Amino acid sequence: MKVGVLALQGAFREQREVCEALGASVTEVRVPEQLGALDALVIPGGESTTMARLLGTSGLRDPLGALLRDGLPVFGTCAGLILLATTILDGLPGQECFGVLDVTVRRNGYGRQQESFETTLDVVGAPAFPGVFIRAPVVEAVGPGVEILAEHRGDPVLVREGVRYGATFHPELSGDLRLHEQFLHAARAA
Ligand code: GLN
């Protein structure tokens, strides 16, 4: 299975390692020519405003957006989820990027007191999952087609809309491969 990891900025190496550990053949995607023949895409955590800018300068924004709207399975973590969201609060003006996951996210929504923390999450299909949150966004609303797979203090932290997955935390930094395994399994079935 061919998995692209968007590698413009952020924690793409860790995403690559997790996908490879699960047997995927991984391409670090930096230019549009690398988009051909991908079975799935992972968008890492990092800084969504920077990634949004680099998506423009790399020329990836439009062709990648077209693939995602066409149904390419995608897993966005943290900043990656922000790039997929239909509505971004506390973003830069015009930051909305791909708009393929029907959620409203607030950047850095946990504020200063709790900018980064770890907690155990009760994930559907992956109980006691280690949740690593780093300046995480908060999902404030989800559309009717969005399934909530895990919550923290009443807010969704892992969501799924068909084969589009978004996590506000960093499963690739947790040493636990179960969520990537679930995603790749769903992508393969799609
Ligand atoms: N706060 C970052 C942003 O707005 C996301 C943080 C992360 O990906 N760990 O893009």
Side-chain angles (χ1 to χ4, degrees):
M1 167 166 215
K2 290 199 173 69
V3 176
V5 173
L6 187 67
L8 298 174
Q9 191 266 339
F12 54 86
R13 276 189 200 90
E14 291 84 351
Q15 293 282 12
R16 177 191 188 116
E17 285 164 13
V18 172
C19 293
E20 284 179 342
L22 290 167
S25 148
V26 175
T27 303
E28 290 186 2
V29 175
R30 296 191 179 83
V31 291
E33 293 70 36
Q34 293 170 309
L35 289 175
L38 294 181
D39 301 310
L41 181 80
V42 174
I43 306 182
E47 177 47 55
S48 61
T49 52
T50 305
M51 275 193 243
R53 184 170 49 75
L54 294 173
L55 278 165
T57 54
S58 65
L60 278 168
R61 189 185 179 118
D62 291 344
L64 193 46
L67 284 175
L68 292 172
R69 283 191 298 278
D70 244 28
L72 179 70
V74 63
F75 189 6
T77 62
C78 206
L81 161 63
I82 296 171
L83 294 179
L84 295 174
T86 46
T87 307
I88 302 171
L89 305 176
D90 292 340
L92 293 183
Q95 195 193 328
E96 268 81 3
C97 210
F98 296 125
V100 293
L101 184 59
D102 192 7
V103 298
T104 298
V105 286
R106 185 176 296 280
R107 287 183 60 231
N108 304 324
Y110 288 97
R112 291 207 142 203
Q113 293 300 320
Q114 244 202 331
E115 268 192 339
S116 300
F117 59 97
E118 292 192 31
T119 187
T120 301
L121 299 170
D122 193 17
V123 176
V124 174
F129 195 91
V132 178
F133 292 78
I134 304 170
R135 294 194 306 118
V138 171
V139 173
E140 296 201 347
V142 302
V146 176
E147 193 182 340
I148 296 169
L149 300 176
E151 289 182 342
H152 173 63
R153 300 210 174 136
D155 294 315
V157 294
L158 178 66
V159 295
R160 180 174 91 99
E161 187 173 16
V163 285
R164 295 164 180 158
Y165 284 70
T168 64
F169 53 100
H170 286 265
E172 77 282 10
L173 301 183
S174 69
D176 190 319
L177 308 188
R178 286 177 293 167
L179 297 189
H180 285 78
E181 202 172 14
Q182 267 191 34
F183 167 65
L184 293 179
H185 183 79
R188 212 172 279 123

